[in-house]
Amino acid sequence: MKRFYIIGFACLLLFDTLGQTGFKFSALNAKPLDYSLEWVVRILSNKWIYLTTLSYIGAFFTWMVLLKKAPVGPAFAASRLQIVSVMLVSIFIFNEPLTLTRALGAVVIISGIIFLAIAEKKLSMKQ
C-alpha cells in the first residue's frame, strides 16, 4: 500500500507541476494579452497548452485513483506539495528568485504534510 501512495503521489506531483509549467510557457508565448480572437488563436496554436491539458487530465485520473484508497484530509494536504515543486521549477527554468520567505513557506508546507501523515498513521494504528 505504501508503494501505491508513493507512486500515485509522485505521478500527481509530476502532472500538476507539468501543467503549471505548461501554463507559464503558454502565457509567455501568448503575449501580449489583448482578449481578442488573435490572442485565442495564439494560445491554441501553442504546443504548451495541449501539454497542459493532457497534464491536467492525467492529474484528474491519478487523483481519482488515489482517493479511492487514501483518506481525503492527508491526501489533499500531500497534493499541495505541488506548490513546492512548482516553486523549484520556477527557480530553475524561469530564473525566478528564491527568497527566504518562499523557502520558509516551502518548509512549512512540507512540515505540515509530515505532521498530517504522522497523525494519520497513529489513527490507523488505533483502529
Side-chain angles (χ1 to χ4, degrees):
M1 186 59 85
K2 187 175 181 180
R3 188 175 184 183
F4 169 80
Y5 287 134
I6 291 171
I7 292 171
F9 280 107
C11 287
L12 185 63
L13 187 65
L14 175 71
F15 285 131
D16 282 339
T17 304
L18 191 57
Q20 288 300 318
T21 305
F23 268 133
K24 178 71 174 184
F25 276 121
S26 297
L28 291 174
N29 289 317
K31 287 183 180 177
L33 175 64
D34 57 9
Y35 302 109
S36 66
L37 183 59
E38 292 172 358
W39 180 78
V40 173
V41 169
R42 276 198 313 269
I43 291 286
L44 294 177
S45 63
N46 187 311
K47 65 183 176 191
W48 286 103
I49 201 68
Y50 298 104
L51 184 63
T52 301
T53 303
L54 290 174
S55 297
Y56 278 104
I57 290 171
F60 173 78
F61 284 108
T62 304
W63 184 237
M64 291 296 108
V65 170
L66 279 169
L67 284 182
K68 277 185 176 179
K69 298 185 179 191
V72 71
F76 185 72
S79 70
R80 299 303 94 188
L81 195 56
Q82 80 173 58
I83 296 168
V84 177
S85 66
V86 169
M87 182 186 73
L88 293 174
V89 166
S90 73
I91 293 166
F92 293 108
I93 294 180
F94 302 111
N95 295 319
E96 294 179 5
L98 175 63
T99 63
L100 178 62
T101 308
R102 288 180 179 173
L104 289 174
V107 169
V108 169
I109 290 169
I110 293 169
S111 300
I113 292 168
I114 290 171
F115 281 115
L116 286 171
I118 291 170
E120 187 62 31
K121 187 174 183 177
K122 285 183 178 178
L123 281 174
S124 66
M125 290 174 70
K126 286 182 181 177
Q127 296 173 349

